[in-house]
Amino acid sequence: MRIVTVLVAGALVAAAPAAAQAQTSAPTPTAGTPDDAGLAYRYAAGLDGNLALGVVDRFLVNARGDMLVTTPVWGLYLEPRWTYAEVNDVKTDAEYYLRAVGFFHPRDRFYGFAVGLLERSFRRRYEVRATGGAGVGSNLVQTVPFQLLVAQGEVYETTEFYVADLIGDPDATSTQRGVVRPVTRLSGRLRFADKTALFFDAYFKPAIDDFEDYRILAKASFELALAHPGGHLLAARALLDYTRETVRVVGTSEDEMMLTFGVAVRRE
Protein backbone atom coordinates (compact mmCIF):
# COMPACT_ATOMS: atom_id res chain seq x y z
CA MET A 1 0.00 0.00 0.00
CA ARG A 2 1.22 3.46 -0.80
CA ILE A 3 1.85 5.51 2.32
CA VAL A 4 0.59 9.07 2.34
CA THR A 5 2.16 11.35 4.93
CA VAL A 6 0.72 14.70 5.90
CA LEU A 7 2.36 17.11 8.32
CA VAL A 8 0.00 19.58 9.90
CA ALA A 9 0.42 22.02 12.77
CA GLY A 10 -0.39 25.47 13.96
CA ALA A 11 0.81 27.84 16.62
CA LEU A 12 -0.37 31.16 17.95
CA VAL A 13 2.02 33.29 19.92
CA ALA A 14 1.26 36.81 21.16
CA ALA A 15 3.07 39.27 23.38
CA ALA A 16 2.74 42.76 24.76
CA PRO A 17 3.71 45.51 22.29
CA ALA A 18 7.42 46.35 22.58
CA ALA A 19 10.39 47.83 20.79
CA ALA A 20 12.43 45.95 18.19
CA GLN A 21 14.77 44.62 20.88
CA ALA A 22 11.88 43.20 22.94
CA GLN A 23 12.50 39.89 24.67
CA THR A 24 9.31 38.32 23.34
CA SER A 25 9.83 34.53 23.13
CA ALA A 26 13.47 35.06 24.11
CA PRO A 27 15.20 32.90 26.74
CA THR A 28 15.82 35.71 29.22
CA PRO A 29 13.58 36.39 32.25
CA THR A 30 12.68 39.82 30.87
CA ALA A 31 9.51 40.75 29.01
CA GLY A 32 9.40 43.46 26.42
CA THR A 33 9.50 47.19 27.17
CA PRO A 34 8.47 48.23 30.72
CA ASP A 35 5.75 50.82 31.24
CA ASP A 36 6.22 53.96 33.35
CA ALA A 37 5.77 51.92 36.54
CA GLY A 38 8.45 49.40 35.48
CA LEU A 39 5.97 46.59 34.73
CA ALA A 40 6.37 44.46 31.61
CA TYR A 41 4.64 41.30 30.45
CA ARG A 42 4.23 38.88 27.58
CA TYR A 43 2.14 35.79 26.93
CA ALA A 44 1.99 33.04 24.33
CA ALA A 45 -0.09 30.08 23.24
CA GLY A 46 0.76 27.48 20.64
CA LEU A 47 -0.48 24.36 18.87
CA ASP A 48 1.72 22.10 16.75
CA GLY A 49 1.91 18.47 15.73
CA ASN A 50 2.20 15.92 12.95
CA LEU A 51 -0.01 13.40 11.18
CA ALA A 52 0.77 10.34 9.03
CA LEU A 53 -1.87 8.24 7.22
CA GLY A 54 -1.23 4.95 5.45
CA VAL A 55 0.13 1.57 6.58
CA VAL A 56 0.71 3.23 9.98
CA ASP A 57 -1.72 5.91 11.11
CA ARG A 58 0.06 8.29 13.48
CA PHE A 59 -1.31 11.39 15.15
CA LEU A 60 0.42 13.77 17.57
CA VAL A 61 -0.58 17.16 18.91
CA ASN A 62 1.12 19.61 21.29
CA ALA A 63 -0.57 22.50 23.07
CA ARG A 64 1.86 24.96 24.64
CA GLY A 65 1.65 28.30 26.39
CA ASP A 66 3.56 30.66 28.61
CA MET A 67 3.15 33.91 30.52
CA LEU A 68 5.82 36.20 31.95
CA VAL A 69 5.37 39.26 34.17
CA THR A 70 8.37 41.24 35.45
CA THR A 71 9.33 44.35 37.40
CA PRO A 72 12.88 45.48 38.22
CA VAL A 73 12.69 43.49 41.49
CA TRP A 74 10.65 40.36 40.73
CA GLY A 75 9.29 38.24 37.92
CA LEU A 76 6.84 35.36 37.49
CA TYR A 77 6.85 32.83 34.64
CA LEU A 78 4.23 30.12 33.97
CA GLU A 79 4.51 27.45 31.27
CA PRO A 80 1.80 24.79 30.74
CA ARG A 81 2.14 22.11 28.06
CA TRP A 82 0.05 19.14 26.90
CA THR A 83 0.96 16.36 24.45
CA TYR A 84 -1.22 13.59 23.06
CA ALA A 85 -0.35 10.90 20.49
CA GLU A 86 -1.91 7.82 18.90
CA VAL A 87 -0.62 5.10 16.56
CA ASN A 88 -3.29 3.05 14.77
CA ASP A 89 -5.90 4.39 17.24
CA VAL A 90 -3.88 3.23 20.26
CA LYS A 91 -2.77 5.90 22.74
CA THR A 92 1.02 6.18 22.88
CA ASP A 93 1.43 9.42 24.80
CA ALA A 94 -0.50 11.67 27.15
CA GLU A 95 1.76 14.17 28.85
CA TYR A 96 0.90 17.08 31.15
CA TYR A 97 3.48 19.63 32.25
CA LEU A 98 3.37 22.82 34.32
CA ARG A 99 6.39 24.91 35.24
CA ALA A 100 6.38 27.98 37.49
CA VAL A 101 9.44 30.17 38.06
CA GLY A 102 9.85 33.14 40.36
CA PHE A 103 12.69 35.57 39.60
CA PHE A 104 14.57 38.00 41.83
CA HIS A 105 16.04 41.03 40.00
CA PRO A 106 15.32 39.44 36.57
CA ARG A 107 16.68 42.38 34.53
CA ASP A 108 20.12 42.42 36.17
CA ARG A 109 23.18 40.71 34.72
CA PHE A 110 22.82 38.11 37.49
CA TYR A 111 19.49 37.06 39.02
CA GLY A 112 18.06 34.51 41.44
CA PHE A 113 15.19 32.13 40.83
CA ALA A 114 12.98 29.51 42.48
CA VAL A 115 11.30 26.85 40.33
CA GLY A 116 8.53 24.28 40.69
CA LEU A 117 7.33 21.67 38.18
CA LEU A 118 4.51 19.15 37.97
CA GLU A 119 4.56 16.50 35.23
CA ARG A 120 2.73 13.36 34.17
CA SER A 121 3.75 11.10 31.28
CA PHE A 122 2.03 8.03 29.85
CA ARG A 123 4.92 7.49 27.42
CA ARG A 124 7.55 7.44 30.20
CA ARG A 125 5.21 5.56 32.55
CA TYR A 126 5.07 7.82 35.57
CA GLU A 127 1.91 9.01 37.29
CA VAL A 128 3.39 12.22 38.63
CA ARG A 129 6.76 13.91 38.92
CA ALA A 130 7.16 16.90 41.22
CA THR A 131 10.29 19.06 41.24
CA GLY A 132 11.26 22.08 43.32
CA GLY A 133 14.44 24.06 43.85
CA ALA A 134 16.35 27.30 43.37
CA GLY A 135 19.48 28.74 41.81
CA VAL A 136 21.18 31.65 40.08
CA GLY A 137 21.35 32.68 36.45
CA SER A 138 23.02 35.20 34.18
CA ASN A 139 21.79 37.18 31.19
CA LEU A 140 25.21 36.55 29.72
CA VAL A 141 24.78 38.02 26.23
CA GLN A 142 22.08 40.54 25.30
CA THR A 143 22.38 41.82 21.74
CA VAL A 144 19.83 42.05 18.94
CA PRO A 145 21.34 39.20 16.86
CA PHE A 146 22.29 36.93 19.78
CA GLN A 147 21.02 36.33 23.31
CA LEU A 148 22.44 33.77 25.73
CA LEU A 149 21.38 32.75 29.24
CA VAL A 150 23.17 30.35 31.60
CA ALA A 151 21.84 29.13 34.95
CA GLN A 152 22.83 26.75 37.71
CA GLY A 153 20.53 25.41 40.41
CA GLU A 154 19.70 22.47 42.59
CA VAL A 155 16.35 20.70 42.77
CA TYR A 156 14.67 17.83 44.57
CA GLU A 157 12.74 15.54 42.22
CA THR A 158 10.24 12.91 43.31
CA THR A 159 8.58 10.54 40.82
CA GLU A 160 5.73 8.06 41.20
CA PHE A 161 6.31 5.41 38.51
CA TYR A 162 3.69 2.96 37.24
CA VAL A 163 5.84 0.03 38.48
CA ALA A 164 9.06 -0.44 40.48
CA ASP A 165 10.82 -2.34 37.66
CA LEU A 166 13.42 0.29 36.69
CA ILE A 167 16.36 0.22 34.31
CA GLY A 168 19.29 1.97 35.99
CA ASP A 169 18.01 1.21 39.50
CA PRO A 170 17.66 -2.60 39.72
CA ASP A 171 17.44 -2.49 43.53
CA ALA A 172 14.30 -0.33 43.52
CA THR A 173 11.48 -1.81 45.61
CA SER A 174 9.08 1.14 45.55
CA THR A 175 7.30 2.93 42.73
CA GLN A 176 8.25 6.24 44.38
CA ARG A 177 11.76 7.57 43.86
CA GLY A 178 13.34 10.79 45.14
CA VAL A 179 16.57 12.33 43.82
CA VAL A 180 18.54 15.53 44.43
CA ARG A 181 19.83 16.93 41.14
CA PRO A 182 22.13 19.85 40.31
CA VAL A 183 20.74 21.47 37.15
CA THR A 184 22.67 23.28 34.44
CA ARG A 185 20.75 25.28 31.83
CA LEU A 186 21.90 26.85 28.55
CA SER A 187 19.38 28.84 26.53
CA GLY A 188 19.61 31.32 23.68
CA ARG A 189 18.28 32.86 20.50
CA LEU A 190 20.20 33.57 17.31
CA ARG A 191 18.87 35.79 14.52
CA PHE A 192 20.45 34.80 11.20
CA ALA A 193 18.73 37.64 9.32
CA ASP A 194 15.58 39.72 9.50
CA LYS A 195 13.50 36.69 8.46
CA THR A 196 15.08 33.77 10.35
CA ALA A 197 15.75 32.91 13.99
CA LEU A 198 16.84 29.87 15.98
CA PHE A 199 15.85 29.32 19.62
CA PHE A 200 17.36 26.60 21.85
CA ASP A 201 16.94 25.57 25.48
CA ALA A 202 18.84 22.66 27.13
CA TYR A 203 19.03 21.21 30.65
CA PHE A 204 21.44 18.66 32.14
CA LYS A 205 20.24 17.04 35.39
CA PRO A 206 22.54 14.44 36.97
CA ALA A 207 21.80 12.86 40.34
CA ILE A 208 24.02 14.42 42.98
CA ASP A 209 25.24 11.01 44.20
CA ASP A 210 25.30 9.07 40.90
CA PHE A 211 26.32 10.72 37.62
CA GLU A 212 25.15 7.65 35.67
CA ASP A 213 21.62 8.64 36.73
CA TYR A 214 20.92 11.75 34.65
CA ARG A 215 18.28 13.45 32.57
CA ILE A 216 18.75 15.63 29.47
CA LEU A 217 15.98 17.89 28.20
CA ALA A 218 16.53 19.96 25.06
CA LYS A 219 14.36 21.78 22.55
CA ALA A 220 14.99 23.94 19.52
CA SER A 221 12.77 25.87 17.13
CA PHE A 222 13.53 27.46 13.79
CA GLU A 223 11.37 30.26 12.43
CA LEU A 224 11.16 31.72 8.94
CA ALA A 225 9.23 34.98 8.72
CA LEU A 226 6.58 35.01 6.01
CA ALA A 227 4.64 38.25 6.51
CA HIS A 228 3.76 41.02 8.98
CA PRO A 229 -0.05 41.26 8.91
CA GLY A 230 -1.57 43.88 11.19
CA GLY A 231 1.59 44.50 13.18
CA HIS A 232 2.13 40.77 13.83
CA LEU A 233 4.86 38.41 12.62
CA LEU A 234 3.66 35.37 10.68
CA ALA A 235 6.33 32.68 10.42
CA ALA A 236 6.74 29.05 9.41
CA ARG A 237 8.16 27.04 12.29
CA ALA A 238 9.83 23.67 12.98
CA LEU A 239 10.23 22.41 16.56
CA LEU A 240 12.46 19.63 17.89
CA ASP A 241 12.12 18.17 21.42
CA TYR A 242 14.65 15.66 22.81
CA THR A 243 14.82 13.91 26.18
CA ARG A 244 17.08 11.25 27.70
CA GLU A 245 16.44 9.43 30.98
CA THR A 246 18.91 6.76 32.14
CA VAL A 247 16.68 5.59 35.01
CA ARG A 248 13.32 4.60 33.58
CA VAL A 249 10.60 1.95 33.60
CA VAL A 250 11.51 -1.29 31.81
CA GLY A 251 10.08 -1.26 28.30
CA THR A 252 10.43 2.49 27.78
CA SER A 253 13.08 4.17 25.64
CA GLU A 254 16.15 5.93 27.00
CA ASP A 255 16.04 8.53 24.21
CA GLU A 256 12.92 10.24 22.91
CA MET A 257 12.77 12.73 20.03
CA MET A 258 9.78 14.58 18.63
CA LEU A 259 9.71 16.75 15.50
CA THR A 260 6.69 18.93 14.72
CA PHE A 261 5.90 21.60 12.14
CA GLY A 262 3.62 24.59 12.08
CA VAL A 263 3.18 28.31 11.83
CA ALA A 264 3.64 31.02 14.43
CA VAL A 265 2.00 34.40 14.88
CA ARG A 266 3.69 36.80 17.26
CA ARG A 267 3.17 40.44 18.17
CA GLU A 268 6.28 42.40 19.19
Side-chain angles (χ1 to χ4, degrees), residues 2 14 21 50 54 63 80 105 216 221 233 240 249 267:
R2 181 186 176 193
Q21 291 95 335
N50 58 59
H105 285 277
I216 297 175
S221 65
L233 171 66
L240 179 67
V249 171
R267 184 177 181 184

Short mmCIF file of all heavy atoms in Angstrom, two decimals, residues 2 14 21 50 54 63 80 105 216 221 233 240 249 267:
data_model
loop_
_atom_site.label_atom_id
_atom_site.label_comp_id
_atom_site.label_asym_id
_atom_site.label_seq_id
_atom_site.Cartn_x
_atom_site.Cartn_y
_atom_site.Cartn_z
N ARG A 2 0.50 2.20 -0.78
CA ARG A 2 1.22 3.46 -0.80
C ARG A 2 0.95 4.21 0.49
O ARG A 2 -0.18 4.31 0.95
CB ARG A 2 0.76 4.30 -1.99
CG ARG A 2 1.48 5.64 -2.10
CD ARG A 2 0.86 6.47 -3.20
NE ARG A 2 1.46 7.79 -3.26
CZ ARG A 2 0.96 8.79 -3.97
NH1 ARG A 2 -0.15 8.61 -4.65
NH2 ARG A 2 1.55 9.97 -3.99
N ALA A 14 1.50 35.38 21.06
CA ALA A 14 1.26 36.81 21.16
C ALA A 14 2.00 37.36 22.34
O ALA A 14 2.24 36.68 23.31
CB ALA A 14 -0.23 37.11 21.30
N GLN A 21 13.90 45.46 20.08
CA GLN A 21 14.77 44.62 20.88
C GLN A 21 14.00 43.87 21.96
O GLN A 21 14.59 43.34 22.88
CB GLN A 21 15.88 45.44 21.55
CG GLN A 21 16.90 45.99 20.56
CD GLN A 21 16.57 47.39 20.13
OE1 GLN A 21 15.41 47.80 20.20
NE2 GLN A 21 17.56 48.14 19.70
N ASN A 50 1.99 16.58 14.23
CA ASN A 50 2.20 15.92 12.95
C ASN A 50 1.19 14.79 12.78
O ASN A 50 0.61 14.29 13.75
CB ASN A 50 3.64 15.43 12.77
CG ASN A 50 4.06 14.47 13.86
OD1 ASN A 50 3.45 13.42 14.05
ND2 ASN A 50 5.11 14.82 14.59
N GLY A 54 -1.67 5.97 6.38
CA GLY A 54 -1.23 4.95 5.45
C GLY A 54 -1.17 3.60 6.13
O GLY A 54 -2.11 3.18 6.81
N ALA A 63 -0.03 21.19 22.70
CA ALA A 63 -0.57 22.50 23.07
C ALA A 63 0.39 23.12 24.08
O ALA A 63 0.71 22.49 25.10
CB ALA A 63 -1.97 22.37 23.65
N PRO A 80 2.51 26.07 30.84
CA PRO A 80 1.80 24.79 30.74
C PRO A 80 2.03 24.15 29.37
O PRO A 80 2.27 24.85 28.37
CB PRO A 80 0.33 25.21 30.90
CG PRO A 80 0.29 26.60 30.31
CD PRO A 80 1.64 27.22 30.54
N HIS A 105 15.25 40.11 40.83
CA HIS A 105 16.04 41.03 40.00
C HIS A 105 16.27 40.44 38.60
O HIS A 105 17.41 40.27 38.17
CB HIS A 105 17.37 41.37 40.67
CG HIS A 105 17.22 42.32 41.82
ND1 HIS A 105 17.15 43.68 41.66
CD2 HIS A 105 17.12 42.10 43.16
CE1 HIS A 105 17.01 44.27 42.84
NE2 HIS A 105 16.98 43.34 43.77
N ILE A 216 18.46 14.55 30.41
CA ILE A 216 18.75 15.63 29.47
C ILE A 216 17.43 16.05 28.84
O ILE A 216 16.66 15.21 28.37
CB ILE A 216 19.74 15.20 28.38
CG1 ILE A 216 21.10 14.85 28.98
CG2 ILE A 216 19.89 16.30 27.33
CD1 ILE A 216 22.10 14.30 27.98
N SER A 221 13.76 25.50 18.13
CA SER A 221 12.77 25.87 17.13
C SER A 221 13.42 26.80 16.12
O SER A 221 14.25 27.64 16.47
CB SER A 221 11.55 26.54 17.78
OG SER A 221 11.91 27.77 18.37
N LEU A 233 3.92 39.18 13.43
CA LEU A 233 4.86 38.41 12.62
C LEU A 233 4.26 37.04 12.35
O LEU A 233 3.92 36.31 13.28
CB LEU A 233 6.19 38.26 13.35
CG LEU A 233 7.20 37.30 12.69
CD1 LEU A 233 7.66 37.84 11.35
CD2 LEU A 233 8.38 37.04 13.61
N LEU A 240 11.84 20.91 17.55
CA LEU A 240 12.46 19.63 17.89
C LEU A 240 12.57 19.52 19.40
O LEU A 240 13.13 20.41 20.06
CB LEU A 240 13.85 19.53 17.25
CG LEU A 240 14.62 18.24 17.55
CD1 LEU A 240 13.94 17.04 16.88
CD2 LEU A 240 16.06 18.37 17.06
N VAL A 249 11.36 3.20 33.51
CA VAL A 249 10.60 1.95 33.60
C VAL A 249 11.03 1.01 32.48
O VAL A 249 11.24 1.43 31.34
CB VAL A 249 9.09 2.24 33.52
CG1 VAL A 249 8.29 0.95 33.39
CG2 VAL A 249 8.62 3.02 34.73
N ARG A 267 3.20 38.99 18.16
CA ARG A 267 3.17 40.44 18.17
C ARG A 267 4.33 40.95 19.01
O ARG A 267 4.50 40.54 20.16
CB ARG A 267 1.84 40.95 18.74
CG ARG A 267 1.71 42.47 18.67
CD ARG A 267 0.36 42.92 19.18
NE ARG A 267 0.20 44.35 19.10
CZ ARG A 267 -0.87 45.00 19.55
NH1 ARG A 267 -1.86 44.33 20.10
NH2 ARG A 267 -0.94 46.31 19.45
#
